[in-house]
Amino acid sequence: MAEVVSDKQANEAFRAANDDSDSSFALREAHHRMANTLALLAGALRRDLSGVADPGVRTILRRHERRIVDFGNLHRYFSLSPGMGLIAVEDYVRPLCEGLVGAVLAPLGIRCEAFIGEGALSGDRCESIGLIIAELVTNAAKHAFPNGAGGTVRIDLFERMDVWHCVVSDDGAGRCGGVAGTGSRILDMLARALNGRIEFRSAPSGTVVALEFPS
């Protein structure tokens, strides 16, 4: 039977990831447990759906079940080790962007544009970049488009003069300050793992978060 993970357990797994020398394994395990939890939730919703006769209600329940499944697939993506060899960044980041669209952006009416350059990085660096992109996209979905305004989130990842650039931007309302709380700690940890730095810029026309790290 799949193990259900609570918010407290997920936070403890994250703290362990900060302290454990094998932090990637700890993070993957946390995502694996969350994927199992969401699979159980989708199954429970499917069982409840079988007893509902109203077509309109069934349509709504199916839509929510689909989103739960999409979130589970996203967490399962992060639970898989990318391996230790070199990986084409396009092959790693593109499926992640598609997962974020299905689970996070599309249900809120937010479009996604992704421009991924050529090049390859080690599996652990791709994993760190993927987690950064997921955190920034999720943060934009939560804060950039109040009242269901909709808009566009853009992801740019490319190498120039031996420096990789990862930029996540939106055309939303803009915000004061950077990413707060646990999200900020996650981003700082992942940027340090890449020997990189993150800059945050926000204006009424939108927000840009830029990561730079050496090739």
Side-chain angles (χ1 to χ4, degrees):
M1 180 178 177
E3 183 176 356
V4 177
V5 59
S6 66
D7 289 342
K8 180 179 179 181
Q9 288 172 314
N11 287 334
E12 288 174 350
F14 172 71
R15 285 195 294 271
N18 268 319
D19 299 331
D20 196 325
S21 59
D22 191 6
S23 60
S24 292
F25 173 79
L27 284 168
R28 286 196 297 273
E29 181 64 16
H31 280 290
H32 172 72
R33 289 167 181 251
M34 183 59 72
N36 286 346
T37 298
L38 291 170
L40 286 175
L41 181 58
L45 184 59
R46 193 177 302 114
R47 287 193 299 273
D48 291 343
L49 225 170
S50 63
V52 175
D54 187 290
V57 175
R58 289 177 65 88
T59 297
I60 293 171
L61 290 174
R62 285 196 187 96
R63 184 167 66 246
H64 284 289
E65 180 194 356
R66 179 68 256 170
R67 193 175 185 191
I68 292 169
V69 170
D70 286 338
F71 268 113
N73 289 338
L74 187 59
H75 280 286
R76 206 168 295 284
Y77 180 81
F78 281 122
S79 74
L80 301 174
S81 172
M84 299 303 294
L86 289 176
I87 301 174
V89 292
E90 169 82 16
D91 293 343
Y92 186 84
V93 175
R94 184 69 63 182
L96 168 62
C97 294
E98 293 171 355
L100 288 167
V101 169
V104 180
L105 299 178
L108 299 176
I110 302 171
R111 298 179 299 278
C112 180
E113 298 175 352
F115 301 89
I116 314 300
E118 296 181 354
L121 290 167
S122 62
D124 59 339
R125 300 184 92 192
C126 283
E127 187 174 51
S128 293
I129 295 165
L131 289 166
I132 288 172
I133 290 173
E135 177 66 23
L136 292 175
V137 168
T138 301
N139 199 60
K142 288 169 59 178
H143 302 293
F145 308 103
N147 303 318
T152 301
V153 172
R154 173 173 170 139
I155 301 162
D156 292 273
L157 179 60
F158 58 92
E159 183 185 23
R160 181 181 296 159
M161 298 179 64
D162 297 325
V163 176
W164 278 92
H165 303 263
C166 178
V167 182
V168 177
S169 58
D170 65 67
D171 58 1
R175 292 178 287 117
C176 295
V179 180
T182 301
S184 176
R185 295 195 294 274
I186 291 173
L187 292 173
D188 287 344
M189 179 191 75
L190 294 169
R192 287 198 303 271
L194 293 165
N195 295 316
R197 61 189 180 91
I198 289 181
E199 292 185 356
F200 176 97
R201 302 187 299 276
S202 191
S205 59
T207 297
V208 178
V209 184
L211 165 72
E212 294 182 0
F213 60 94
S215 300

Short mmCIF file of all heavy atoms in Angstrom, two decimals, residues 16-65:
data_model
loop_
_atom_site.label_atom_id
_atom_site.label_comp_id
_atom_site.label_asym_id
_atom_site.label_seq_id
_atom_site.Cartn_x
_atom_site.Cartn_y
_atom_site.Cartn_z
N ALA A 16 16.02 17.52 6.09
CA ALA A 16 17.04 16.48 6.00
C ALA A 16 17.87 16.63 4.75
O ALA A 16 19.08 16.39 4.75
CB ALA A 16 16.37 15.09 6.03
N ALA A 17 17.22 17.05 3.66
CA ALA A 17 17.95 17.24 2.41
C ALA A 17 19.00 18.33 2.54
O ALA A 17 20.07 18.25 1.93
CB ALA A 17 16.97 17.60 1.28
N ASN A 18 18.70 19.36 3.36
CA ASN A 18 19.68 20.42 3.55
C ASN A 18 20.89 19.93 4.33
O ASN A 18 22.01 20.41 4.13
CB ASN A 18 19.03 21.58 4.32
CG ASN A 18 18.44 22.61 3.37
OD1 ASN A 18 19.03 22.94 2.36
ND2 ASN A 18 17.26 23.11 3.71
N ASP A 19 20.69 18.98 5.25
CA ASP A 19 21.75 18.55 6.15
C ASP A 19 22.45 17.29 5.66
O ASP A 19 23.57 17.01 6.04
CB ASP A 19 21.18 18.29 7.55
CG ASP A 19 20.56 19.56 8.14
OD1 ASP A 19 21.03 20.65 7.77
OD2 ASP A 19 19.62 19.45 8.95
N ASP A 20 21.80 16.51 4.83
CA ASP A 20 22.31 15.22 4.41
C ASP A 20 23.25 15.40 3.23
O ASP A 20 22.99 16.18 2.32
CB ASP A 20 21.13 14.32 4.00
CG ASP A 20 21.53 12.86 3.91
OD1 ASP A 20 22.68 12.57 3.51
OD2 ASP A 20 20.69 12.01 4.22
N SER A 21 24.37 14.66 3.24
CA SER A 21 25.31 14.76 2.13
C SER A 21 24.69 14.24 0.84
O SER A 21 25.06 14.66 -0.25
CB SER A 21 26.59 13.97 2.46
OG SER A 21 26.28 12.62 2.69
N ASP A 22 23.73 13.34 0.96
CA ASP A 22 23.05 12.84 -0.24
C ASP A 22 21.70 13.56 -0.34
O ASP A 22 20.64 12.96 -0.28
CB ASP A 22 22.85 11.33 -0.14
CG ASP A 22 22.40 10.73 -1.48
OD1 ASP A 22 22.35 11.46 -2.49
OD2 ASP A 22 22.10 9.54 -1.49
N SER A 23 21.75 14.89 -0.51
CA SER A 23 20.52 15.68 -0.51
C SER A 23 19.62 15.35 -1.69
O SER A 23 18.40 15.40 -1.57
CB SER A 23 20.86 17.17 -0.51
OG SER A 23 21.61 17.51 -1.65
N SER A 24 20.20 15.00 -2.83
CA SER A 24 19.38 14.67 -4.00
C SER A 24 18.49 13.47 -3.71
O SER A 24 17.33 13.44 -4.09
CB SER A 24 20.27 14.39 -5.21
OG SER A 24 20.91 15.56 -5.65
N PHE A 25 19.06 12.46 -3.03
CA PHE A 25 18.26 11.28 -2.69
C PHE A 25 17.11 11.65 -1.77
O PHE A 25 15.98 11.20 -1.95
CB PHE A 25 19.14 10.22 -2.02
CG PHE A 25 18.35 9.04 -1.51
CD1 PHE A 25 17.93 8.05 -2.37
CD2 PHE A 25 18.01 8.96 -0.16
CE1 PHE A 25 17.18 6.97 -1.90
CE2 PHE A 25 17.27 7.90 0.31
CZ PHE A 25 16.86 6.90 -0.55
N ALA A 26 17.39 12.50 -0.77
CA ALA A 26 16.34 12.90 0.17
C ALA A 26 15.22 13.65 -0.53
O ALA A 26 14.03 13.43 -0.26
CB ALA A 26 16.94 13.74 1.30
N LEU A 27 15.58 14.53 -1.45
CA LEU A 27 14.56 15.28 -2.20
C LEU A 27 13.74 14.35 -3.08
O LEU A 27 12.52 14.47 -3.17
CB LEU A 27 15.22 16.36 -3.04
CG LEU A 27 15.72 17.60 -2.28
CD1 LEU A 27 16.59 18.45 -3.19
CD2 LEU A 27 14.54 18.42 -1.77
N ARG A 28 14.41 13.41 -3.74
CA ARG A 28 13.68 12.47 -4.61
C ARG A 28 12.72 11.62 -3.79
O ARG A 28 11.60 11.33 -4.23
CB ARG A 28 14.66 11.59 -5.39
CG ARG A 28 15.37 12.30 -6.52
CD ARG A 28 16.00 11.31 -7.48
NE ARG A 28 17.02 10.52 -6.83
CZ ARG A 28 18.29 10.87 -6.71
NH1 ARG A 28 18.70 12.03 -7.18
NH2 ARG A 28 19.16 10.08 -6.13
N GLU A 29 13.15 11.23 -2.59
CA GLU A 29 12.28 10.42 -1.73
C GLU A 29 11.05 11.20 -1.31
O GLU A 29 9.93 10.66 -1.27
CB GLU A 29 13.06 9.94 -0.50
CG GLU A 29 12.26 9.07 0.45
CD GLU A 29 11.82 7.74 -0.15
OE1 GLU A 29 12.37 7.34 -1.20
OE2 GLU A 29 10.90 7.11 0.42
N ALA A 30 11.22 12.49 -0.99
CA ALA A 30 10.07 13.31 -0.63
C ALA A 30 9.08 13.41 -1.78
O ALA A 30 7.86 13.32 -1.58
CB ALA A 30 10.54 14.70 -0.20
N HIS A 31 9.59 13.59 -3.00
CA HIS A 31 8.70 13.66 -4.16
C HIS A 31 8.02 12.32 -4.41
O HIS A 31 6.84 12.28 -4.79
CB HIS A 31 9.50 14.09 -5.39
CG HIS A 31 9.76 15.56 -5.46
ND1 HIS A 31 8.77 16.48 -5.70
CD2 HIS A 31 10.91 16.28 -5.31
CE1 HIS A 31 9.28 17.69 -5.69
NE2 HIS A 31 10.57 17.60 -5.46
N HIS A 32 8.74 11.23 -4.21
CA HIS A 32 8.15 9.90 -4.40
C HIS A 32 6.98 9.69 -3.45
O HIS A 32 5.91 9.20 -3.85
CB HIS A 32 9.22 8.83 -4.17
CG HIS A 32 8.70 7.44 -4.14
ND1 HIS A 32 8.27 6.79 -5.28
CD2 HIS A 32 8.51 6.57 -3.12
CE1 HIS A 32 7.85 5.57 -4.96
NE2 HIS A 32 7.98 5.42 -3.65
N ARG A 33 7.16 10.08 -2.20
CA ARG A 33 6.09 9.91 -1.21
C ARG A 33 4.89 10.79 -1.56
O ARG A 33 3.73 10.37 -1.41
CB ARG A 33 6.62 10.24 0.18
CG ARG A 33 7.58 9.19 0.73
CD ARG A 33 8.31 9.67 1.96
NE ARG A 33 9.23 8.65 2.45
CZ ARG A 33 9.05 7.94 3.56
NH1 ARG A 33 7.98 8.15 4.29
NH2 ARG A 33 9.91 7.03 3.93
N MET A 34 5.14 12.01 -2.00
CA MET A 34 4.03 12.88 -2.37
C MET A 34 3.29 12.32 -3.59
O MET A 34 2.05 12.38 -3.66
CB MET A 34 4.54 14.29 -2.67
CG MET A 34 3.43 15.28 -3.00
SD MET A 34 2.20 15.44 -1.68
CE MET A 34 3.18 16.35 -0.46
N ALA A 35 4.03 11.76 -4.56
CA ALA A 35 3.38 11.15 -5.72
C ALA A 35 2.47 10.01 -5.30
O ALA A 35 1.35 9.86 -5.82
CB ALA A 35 4.44 10.65 -6.71
N ASN A 36 2.91 9.21 -4.35
CA ASN A 36 2.08 8.11 -3.86
C ASN A 36 0.83 8.64 -3.15
O ASN A 36 -0.26 8.09 -3.31
CB ASN A 36 2.88 7.23 -2.89
CG ASN A 36 3.90 6.37 -3.61
OD1 ASN A 36 3.84 6.21 -4.83
ND2 ASN A 36 4.84 5.82 -2.87
N THR A 37 0.98 9.69 -2.38
CA THR A 37 -0.16 10.30 -1.70
C THR A 37 -1.20 10.78 -2.71
O THR A 37 -2.41 10.55 -2.55
CB THR A 37 0.30 11.47 -0.83
OG1 THR A 37 1.20 11.00 0.17
CG2 THR A 37 -0.88 12.15 -0.16
N LEU A 38 -0.74 11.45 -3.76
CA LEU A 38 -1.66 11.97 -4.77
C LEU A 38 -2.32 10.83 -5.55
O LEU A 38 -3.48 10.95 -5.96
CB LEU A 38 -0.91 12.91 -5.71
CG LEU A 38 -0.48 14.23 -5.06
CD1 LEU A 38 0.47 14.99 -5.98
CD2 LEU A 38 -1.67 15.08 -4.70
N ALA A 39 -1.62 9.73 -5.75
CA ALA A 39 -2.22 8.58 -6.42
C ALA A 39 -3.37 8.02 -5.57
O ALA A 39 -4.42 7.64 -6.11
CB ALA A 39 -1.17 7.51 -6.67
N LEU A 40 -3.17 7.97 -4.27
CA LEU A 40 -4.25 7.52 -3.39
C LEU A 40 -5.44 8.47 -3.45
O LEU A 40 -6.60 8.05 -3.49
CB LEU A 40 -3.73 7.43 -1.95
CG LEU A 40 -2.81 6.26 -1.61
CD1 LEU A 40 -2.31 6.40 -0.18
CD2 LEU A 40 -3.53 4.93 -1.78
N LEU A 41 -5.17 9.76 -3.47
CA LEU A 41 -6.24 10.75 -3.53
C LEU A 41 -7.02 10.64 -4.83
O LEU A 41 -8.26 10.70 -4.84
CB LEU A 41 -5.65 12.15 -3.38
CG LEU A 41 -6.64 13.33 -3.40
CD1 LEU A 41 -7.68 13.18 -2.29
CD2 LEU A 41 -5.89 14.64 -3.25
N ALA A 42 -6.31 10.46 -5.95
CA ALA A 42 -6.99 10.30 -7.24
C ALA A 42 -7.84 9.04 -7.25
O ALA A 42 -8.97 9.04 -7.78
CB ALA A 42 -5.95 10.25 -8.37
N GLY A 43 -7.33 7.97 -6.64
CA GLY A 43 -8.11 6.74 -6.57
C GLY A 43 -9.38 6.90 -5.75
O GLY A 43 -10.44 6.39 -6.12
N ALA A 44 -9.28 7.63 -4.63
CA ALA A 44 -10.46 7.86 -3.80
C ALA A 44 -11.49 8.70 -4.55
O ALA A 44 -12.70 8.42 -4.48
CB ALA A 44 -10.04 8.57 -2.51
N LEU A 45 -11.04 9.69 -5.28
CA LEU A 45 -11.96 10.52 -6.05
C LEU A 45 -12.64 9.70 -7.15
O LEU A 45 -13.83 9.86 -7.42
CB LEU A 45 -11.20 11.70 -6.66
CG LEU A 45 -12.03 12.74 -7.42
CD1 LEU A 45 -13.09 13.35 -6.51
CD2 LEU A 45 -11.14 13.82 -7.99
N ARG A 46 -11.88 8.80 -7.76
CA ARG A 46 -12.43 7.96 -8.82
C ARG A 46 -13.53 7.05 -8.26
O ARG A 46 -14.57 6.83 -8.90
CB ARG A 46 -11.33 7.14 -9.47
CG ARG A 46 -11.72 6.47 -10.78
CD ARG A 46 -10.55 5.74 -11.40
NE ARG A 46 -9.43 6.66 -11.64
CZ ARG A 46 -8.26 6.59 -11.02
NH1 ARG A 46 -8.04 5.64 -10.13
NH2 ARG A 46 -7.30 7.44 -11.29
N ARG A 47 -13.30 6.52 -7.06
CA ARG A 47 -14.31 5.67 -6.43
C ARG A 47 -15.58 6.47 -6.13
O ARG A 47 -16.70 5.99 -6.36
CB ARG A 47 -13.75 5.05 -5.15
CG ARG A 47 -12.73 3.95 -5.39
CD ARG A 47 -12.46 3.17 -4.11
NE ARG A 47 -11.91 4.03 -3.06
CZ ARG A 47 -10.62 4.29 -2.92
NH1 ARG A 47 -9.74 3.77 -3.76
NH2 ARG A 47 -10.20 5.06 -1.93
N ASP A 48 -15.42 7.69 -5.63
CA ASP A 48 -16.59 8.52 -5.34
C ASP A 48 -17.33 8.89 -6.61
O ASP A 48 -18.56 9.03 -6.62
CB ASP A 48 -16.15 9.80 -4.61
CG ASP A 48 -15.66 9.52 -3.19
OD1 ASP A 48 -15.96 8.42 -2.68
OD2 ASP A 48 -14.98 10.40 -2.63
N LEU A 49 -16.58 9.06 -7.70
CA LEU A 49 -17.18 9.42 -8.98
C LEU A 49 -18.15 8.36 -9.46
O LEU A 49 -19.16 8.66 -10.11
CB LEU A 49 -16.07 9.62 -10.01
CG LEU A 49 -16.10 10.83 -10.94
CD1 LEU A 49 -14.79 10.95 -11.69
CD2 LEU A 49 -17.24 10.71 -11.93
N SER A 50 -17.85 7.10 -9.16
CA SER A 50 -18.66 6.00 -9.69
C SER A 50 -20.09 6.05 -9.18
O SER A 50 -21.00 5.51 -9.81
CB SER A 50 -18.02 4.65 -9.32
OG SER A 50 -18.01 4.48 -7.91
N GLY A 51 -20.31 6.72 -8.04
CA GLY A 51 -21.66 6.77 -7.49
C GLY A 51 -22.41 8.05 -7.80
O GLY A 51 -23.53 8.25 -7.30
N VAL A 52 -21.84 8.92 -8.64
CA VAL A 52 -22.47 10.21 -8.96
C VAL A 52 -23.19 10.09 -10.30
O VAL A 52 -22.60 9.68 -11.30
CB VAL A 52 -21.41 11.33 -9.02
CG1 VAL A 52 -22.04 12.63 -9.48
CG2 VAL A 52 -20.75 11.51 -7.65
N ALA A 53 -24.46 10.47 -10.31
CA ALA A 53 -25.26 10.35 -11.53
C ALA A 53 -25.29 11.64 -12.34
O ALA A 53 -25.39 11.60 -13.57
CB ALA A 53 -26.68 9.92 -11.18
N ASP A 54 -25.19 12.79 -11.69
CA ASP A 54 -25.31 14.07 -12.39
C ASP A 54 -24.15 14.27 -13.35
O ASP A 54 -22.98 14.29 -12.93
CB ASP A 54 -25.33 15.20 -11.36
CG ASP A 54 -25.64 16.55 -11.99
OD1 ASP A 54 -24.77 17.05 -12.73
OD2 ASP A 54 -26.72 17.10 -11.73
N PRO A 55 -24.40 14.44 -14.66
CA PRO A 55 -23.32 14.59 -15.64
C PRO A 55 -22.43 15.80 -15.37
O PRO A 55 -21.22 15.74 -15.56
CB PRO A 55 -24.05 14.73 -16.98
CG PRO A 55 -25.40 14.14 -16.74
CD PRO A 55 -25.73 14.42 -15.31
N GLY A 56 -23.03 16.90 -14.93
CA GLY A 56 -22.24 18.10 -14.66
C GLY A 56 -21.27 17.90 -13.53
O GLY A 56 -20.10 18.31 -13.60
N VAL A 57 -21.75 17.26 -12.47
CA VAL A 57 -20.88 16.99 -11.32
C VAL A 57 -19.77 16.01 -11.72
O VAL A 57 -18.61 16.16 -11.32
CB VAL A 57 -21.70 16.44 -10.14
CG1 VAL A 57 -20.79 16.03 -8.99
CG2 VAL A 57 -22.70 17.49 -9.66
N ARG A 58 -20.14 15.00 -12.50
CA ARG A 58 -19.13 14.03 -12.94
C ARG A 58 -18.04 14.72 -13.76
O ARG A 58 -16.85 14.39 -13.64
CB ARG A 58 -19.79 12.92 -13.76
CG ARG A 58 -20.66 11.98 -12.93
CD ARG A 58 -21.35 10.95 -13.83
NE ARG A 58 -20.39 10.06 -14.46
CZ ARG A 58 -19.95 8.93 -13.90
NH1 ARG A 58 -20.35 8.57 -12.70
NH2 ARG A 58 -19.10 8.17 -14.55
N THR A 59 -18.42 15.67 -14.60
CA THR A 59 -17.43 16.40 -15.41
C THR A 59 -16.46 17.17 -14.51
O THR A 59 -15.24 17.16 -14.73
CB THR A 59 -18.13 17.36 -16.37
OG1 THR A 59 -18.94 16.60 -17.29
CG2 THR A 59 -17.11 18.17 -17.17
N ILE A 60 -17.01 17.83 -13.49
CA ILE A 60 -16.15 18.59 -12.57
C ILE A 60 -15.21 17.66 -11.81
O ILE A 60 -14.01 17.94 -11.67
CB ILE A 60 -17.03 19.39 -11.59
CG1 ILE A 60 -17.80 20.49 -12.34
CG2 ILE A 60 -16.16 20.01 -10.49
CD1 ILE A 60 -18.84 21.20 -11.49
N LEU A 61 -15.73 16.54 -11.34
CA LEU A 61 -14.90 15.59 -10.60
C LEU A 61 -13.80 15.01 -11.48
O LEU A 61 -12.66 14.84 -11.03
CB LEU A 61 -15.77 14.47 -10.02
CG LEU A 61 -16.70 14.87 -8.86
CD1 LEU A 61 -17.60 13.72 -8.48
CD2 LEU A 61 -15.88 15.33 -7.65
N ARG A 62 -14.13 14.71 -12.73
CA ARG A 62 -13.11 14.19 -13.64
C ARG A 62 -12.00 15.22 -13.87
O ARG A 62 -10.82 14.86 -13.97
CB ARG A 62 -13.74 13.81 -14.98
CG ARG A 62 -14.54 12.52 -14.95
CD ARG A 62 -14.78 12.00 -16.37
NE ARG A 62 -15.69 10.87 -16.36
CZ ARG A 62 -16.99 10.94 -16.57
NH1 ARG A 62 -17.55 12.11 -16.81
NH2 ARG A 62 -17.74 9.86 -16.56
N ARG A 63 -12.40 16.49 -13.99
CA ARG A 63 -11.40 17.55 -14.19
C ARG A 63 -10.45 17.64 -12.99
O ARG A 63 -9.23 17.76 -13.16
CB ARG A 63 -12.10 18.88 -14.42
CG ARG A 63 -11.12 20.01 -14.75
CD ARG A 63 -11.82 21.24 -15.28
NE ARG A 63 -12.68 21.86 -14.28
CZ ARG A 63 -14.00 21.92 -14.36
NH1 ARG A 63 -14.64 21.41 -15.40
NH2 ARG A 63 -14.71 22.51 -13.41
N HIS A 64 -11.02 17.54 -11.79
CA HIS A 64 -10.16 17.60 -10.61
C HIS A 64 -9.31 16.34 -10.47
O HIS A 64 -8.15 16.40 -10.05
CB HIS A 64 -11.01 17.81 -9.36
CG HIS A 64 -11.51 19.23 -9.21
ND1 HIS A 64 -10.67 20.28 -8.90
CD2 HIS A 64 -12.74 19.77 -9.37
CE1 HIS A 64 -11.37 21.40 -8.84
NE2 HIS A 64 -12.63 21.11 -9.14
N GLU A 65 -9.88 15.20 -10.85
CA GLU A 65 -9.08 13.97 -10.82
C GLU A 65 -7.90 14.08 -11.77
O GLU A 65 -6.77 13.69 -11.45
CB GLU A 65 -9.94 12.77 -11.21
CG GLU A 65 -9.16 11.45 -11.19
CD GLU A 65 -9.89 10.33 -11.89
OE1 GLU A 65 -11.05 10.54 -12.33
OE2 GLU A 65 -9.29 9.25 -12.04
#
